[in-house]
Amino acid sequence: MKRIWKFLSLILVFVLVLTPVAPASAAAISTKDTDLTGYTVILHTNDTHGRAIPDSSGGNMGYTAVSALKKSAEAAGAQVILLDAGDTLHGLPFATVSKGESIVELMNLIGYDAMAPGNHDFNYGSARLSELSKLMKFPLLSSNVLVKENGQNFLKNHIIITKNGVDYGIFGLSTPETAYKTNPKNVETLEFKNPIEAAKLEVANLKASGADVIIALAHIGTDGSSEFTTERLAKEVDGIDLIVDGHSHSLHEEGLKVKDTLIVSTGEHLKNIGVAVFNKEGKLSAGTVNASTFTETDPSVDQVIEKLSKENESVLSEVIGKTKVVLDGVRENARTKETNLGDLTADAMRHGTKADVAITNGGGIRASIDIGDITKLDMVTVFPFGNYVVTKYVTGEALVQALELGVSGYPAPSGPFPQVSGISFGIDASKPAGSRVKDVKVNGSPVDLKAKYLLATNDFMAVGGDGYTMFKDFATENEFGALEEILMAYIKELGVVNIQTDGRIKVVAEAPVKEPVEETKKPEVTKEEPAKEVKEEKKEKKEEVKGTEKEKEKEKTDKVKIYVVKKGDYLKKIAQTLFGKESEWKKIYEWNKDIIKNPDQIQIGQKLKILPN
């Protein structure tokens, strides 16, 4: 087998793991011939951010697929361990309305065996996370989170699970970045210790307890900008066989081997489900499955999701405030000019984070709110994406670059159009894109290009989404709750909303109107001219033949397009989107070898050349 994902897709249709059959032909094979007896399958998820419900448009498989996959492997004779590496209990309203309880109910139903908490699992506060852990029918594991008051572990350190006569020792780790990648108030009673030192102790303890295989369930990530990464963990801590990873939203389709340790991670939002397999001889292989290779669902999970969704509806009807004015979220307005809803949103972000300035993309505002009561449903309708608020210290120069990007499409409606707080500026649409922004002020004073300002924005833009690549390389100062939660808290504080636009964005010059070009009148043709034209035409055709090959090459070069990598992209996904075939990823890689060092690790904001296919 050349690629592990091939045999993983076969597992899903009960085909013997060792049969080297391509996924395209797998469905034709009988399910009765499979025997996975003696195999231990580690199914794993990470960074789901509340994406419990399948979403075909986003490729999110949902928990129904996780459950179906687990049952499929078990029906084939495999013994299964199901793990989650965190950032699971918070995100979309399905999770946040019940403060994570709906997700716990589903995880209990599916039969998870363990979970490590991610930084966003603390978004409801450490006390709420403790409450949720008591509702879980599986342990919430972290060996490096201590209670400041007494130095005791906040959660359970590890467990040992026996499958096929093998003892699997599993311990949890949480990123120390949690101290600032959730609201600090959420974790003020906790201390996040060095995960490497904690791991060394856990490996020793588990081996002393008789564990045959050591698994680190870690919300640490492989982002090189972090002090602690799972790659560093694997290098510095001997004895870990498998690291089930989260936090950096990395996708390691076949695992990342570091020394004797295999690191696995599925990306984000249940777009993939991870499968690591220990065969009868104890040899470990890993891969992922996605919606294109697995389409099964579990009706029992679907029923519970429907029930929970209905329960959420009553909660979403709660009134959180009132508005005396229509809050303008009309698509064409939010993407072309300052609106009062844009102002309100950006003000809430700045107020809730104590930032100097706030910028959010107009394309993220999806609806208006009418005069009268404002409900939770209004909030999640306006902001349906589950984005959360991030702060970063950025330069004044980066702020100006961001504003230039945001208005580059003006006057056409454009998703990146900036809705701002703490900033005022003018748009000179008579100038070319990149030099349109005028008279930028930060809280009333001219922007200092070299100064650092604390910026509040959404997580999508913070990593370069919508083209805001000027933000992605600045370190994250803090991460807060969901965007709609920040706005709800602000509205509750106001009580009654009566906001008008205040001129923070002004158009100082419109684009010049292009005069219509008069059509040149064709000269009349006399009776003698056609013969002359035929001769000229033949001459032109001879010249055309000579230049055909050069023109074809030039035409091909002229048709080169640029694709900007977005959050959640990987080469196969881009190939599927552009060409309808995942296998075309190799062409994209060949065209862009000069900037892609590792085809499994493309970066958000990278500009990829796409040639005609």
Side-chain angles (χ1 to χ4, degrees):
M1 291 176 298
K2 292 183 179 180
R3 292 184 63 83
I4 196 70
W5 64 267
K6 290 185 179 181
F7 82 71
L8 292 173
S9 66
L10 305 186
I11 286 178
L12 310 181
V13 289
F14 308 104
V15 179
L16 188 62
V17 173
L18 298 178
T19 305
V21 183
S25 61
I29 299 175
S30 171
T31 63
K32 296 178 181 179
D33 301 328
T34 302
D35 182 9
L36 299 180
T37 303
Y39 288 83
T40 300
V41 175
I42 314 290
L43 298 182
H44 57 95
T45 53
N46 62 274
D47 297 286
T48 59
H49 291 279
R51 266 70 176 180
I53 303 174
D55 176 11
S56 58
S57 63
N60 307 341
M61 301 175 75
Y63 280 120
T64 185
V66 177
S67 185
L69 180 55
K70 180 174 183 282
K71 289 181 177 180
S72 296
E74 289 173 337
Q79 294 195 15
V80 177
I81 299 174
L82 179 54
L83 305 174
D84 185 87
D87 272 7
T88 302
L89 306 173
H90 187 276
L92 291 185
F94 183 90
T96 59
V97 165
S98 65
K99 293 189 176 180
E101 192 167 337
S102 57
I103 300 297
V104 172
E105 183 171 344
L106 286 174
M107 295 178 79
N108 285 340
L109 174 65
I110 296 166
Y112 272 82
D113 291 292
M115 171 185 165
N119 49 300
H120 288 294
D121 295 316
F122 290 88
N123 278 7
Y124 308 116
S126 59
R128 176 57 177 169
L129 184 58
S130 181
E131 290 174 359
L132 291 172
S133 71
K134 292 177 175 62
L135 297 175
M136 294 173 178
K137 295 179 180 178
F138 52 90
L140 187 61
L141 302 176
S142 189
S143 59
N144 67 316
V145 183
L146 306 181
V147 178
K148 286 180 181 178
E149 186 178 13
N150 55 25
Q152 299 296 311
N153 281 89
F154 176 61
L155 300 168
K156 190 170 184 176
N157 287 19
H158 62 250
I159 56 168
I160 294 178
I161 297 176
T162 303
K163 298 288 182 181
N164 289 311
V166 177
D167 289 336
Y168 292 86
I170 305 168
F171 69 94
L173 293 171
S174 298
T175 175
E177 293 176 352
T178 305
Y180 58 88
K181 287 192 172 178
T182 184
N183 191 318
K185 290 182 179 180
N186 294 333
V187 291
E188 60 187 357
T189 62
L190 302 178
E191 183 178 3
F192 295 83
K193 304 294 286 186
N194 184 320
I196 291 174
E197 295 306 315
K200 289 177 180 177
L201 184 61
E202 288 304 306
V203 170
N205 288 340
L206 285 168
K207 285 188 173 181
S209 299
D212 302 303
V213 175
I214 306 293
I215 300 175
L217 185 55
H219 193 82
I220 300 289
T222 52
D223 186 343
S225 66
S226 297
E227 178 184 2
F228 296 103
T229 66
T230 45
E231 289 179 277
R232 181 181 168 188
L233 180 70
K235 289 176 183 176
E236 297 185 22
V237 182
D238 294 329
I240 303 176
D241 298 288
L242 177 68
I243 298 176
V244 177
D245 198 18
H247 188 48
S248 58
H249 294 209
S250 304
L251 174 61
H252 304 306
E253 286 187 289
E254 297 179 18
L256 178 65
K257 194 69 179 288
V258 179
K259 293 177 65 176
D260 295 326
T261 302
L262 189 66
I263 301 169
V264 294
S265 184
T266 69
E268 62 181 2
H269 300 170
L270 278 175
K271 293 177 181 177
N272 304 279
I273 302 170
V275 188
V277 179
F278 287 92
N279 67 13
K280 294 178 182 179
E281 290 73 40
K283 185 178 179 181
L284 174 63
S285 300
T288 60
V289 296
N290 57 38
S292 67
T293 56
F294 184 65
T295 58
E296 299 298 318
T297 59
D298 184 343
S300 64
V301 173
D302 295 334
Q303 289 173 7
V304 172
I305 286 176
E306 185 177 358
K307 174 192 74 110
L308 293 170
S309 296
K310 287 181 179 177
E311 290 175 0
N312 281 351
E313 288 176 7
S314 61
V315 177
L316 290 172
S317 64
E318 178 188 337
V319 175
I320 59 167
K322 295 181 181 295
T323 177
K324 289 186 175 181
V325 293
V326 174
L327 297 173
D328 183 5
V330 173
R331 176 188 175 92
E332 291 73 15
N333 295 340
R335 296 173 181 229
T336 58
K337 63 183 179 181
E338 175 190 356
T339 71
N340 62 348
L341 182 52
D343 287 356
L344 181 69
T345 302
D347 287 348
M349 293 167 67
R350 188 161 65 101
H351 178 78
T353 62
K354 310 304 179 189
D356 299 314
V357 296
I359 302 177
T360 194
N361 54 326
I365 297 172
R366 310 300 280 199
S368 297
I369 300 175
D370 289 331
I371 294 172
D373 291 340
I374 303 174
T375 65
K376 286 185 175 180
L377 179 60
D378 289 323
M379 293 290 96
V380 300
T381 303
V382 173
F383 302 111
F385 303 114
N387 292 117
Y388 53 89
V389 178
V390 174
T391 55
K392 292 186 169 194
Y393 276 104
V394 304
T395 61
E397 182 180 18
L399 286 179
V400 174
Q401 290 172 350
L403 299 176
E404 288 284 9
L405 169 80
V407 303
S408 60
Y410 182 86
S414 175
F417 188 88
Q419 299 291 337
V420 300
S421 178
I423 299 174
S424 63
F425 67 98
I427 304 171
D428 185 350
S430 67
K431 303 294 183 186
S435 56
R436 291 179 163 182
V437 173
K438 306 296 179 186
D439 192 27
V440 180
K441 291 183 179 178
V442 174
N443 295 313
S445 300
V447 65
D448 183 342
L449 298 181
K450 294 182 179 180
K452 287 283 188 78
Y453 299 98
L454 185 61
L455 164 73
T457 188
N458 63 65
D459 62 310
F460 172 63
M461 293 170 60
V463 294
D466 253 354
Y468 282 92
T469 55
M470 68 291 298
F471 291 156
K472 70 184 182 68
D473 291 330
F474 291 102
T476 297
E477 182 68 15
N478 208 331
E479 292 180 3
F480 295 82
L483 182 53
E484 71 270 14
E485 291 175 336
I486 294 286
L487 186 53
M488 278 193 285
Y490 187 59
I491 290 173
K492 284 182 179 179
E493 193 172 324
L494 293 176
V496 177
V497 177
N498 189 18
I499 188 171
Q500 306 291 337
T501 55
D502 53 19
R504 57 188 75 175
I505 303 173
K506 294 179 179 178
V507 177
V508 296
E510 291 287 2
V513 179
K514 293 182 179 179
E515 295 293 332
V517 179
E518 279 191 28
E519 188 176 330
T520 305
K521 189 175 182 181
K522 293 181 180 179
E524 293 182 9
V525 179
T526 64
K527 290 181 180 180
E528 295 182 354
E529 283 178 1
K532 183 180 178 182
E533 285 180 359
V534 170
K535 289 180 182 178
E536 291 296 326
E537 185 178 337
K538 287 181 178 179
K539 183 180 178 182
E540 287 172 5
K541 282 186 177 179
K542 286 181 181 179
E543 291 176 355
E544 284 175 8
V545 171
K546 290 179 182 177
T548 298
E549 293 304 318
K550 289 183 179 180
E551 287 175 1
K552 282 184 178 179
E553 286 301 314
K554 184 177 185 301
E555 183 180 357
K556 190 173 182 180
T557 302
D558 289 344
K559 288 184 178 179
V560 171
K561 296 181 180 179
I562 299 297
Y563 181 91
V564 181
V565 178
K566 304 186 292 296
K567 185 176 180 181
D569 274 346
Y570 49 93
L571 290 184
K572 282 187 179 180
K573 178 181 176 182
I574 296 171
Q576 180 68 39
T577 301
L578 298 180
F579 305 124
K581 293 181 181 178
E582 285 189 348
S583 59
E584 298 289 87
W585 72 268
K586 293 180 181 178
K587 288 185 179 180
I588 302 175
Y589 175 53
E590 288 297 324
W591 297 332
N592 295 277
K593 269 188 173 180
D594 55 328
I595 62 170
I596 300 177
K597 305 305 178 187
N598 183 340
D600 290 327
Q601 295 181 350
I602 59 176
Q603 304 297 317
I604 294 171
Q606 276 185 322
K607 296 181 179 180
L608 306 182
K609 298 188 293 287
I610 306 296
L611 276 63
N613 203 26

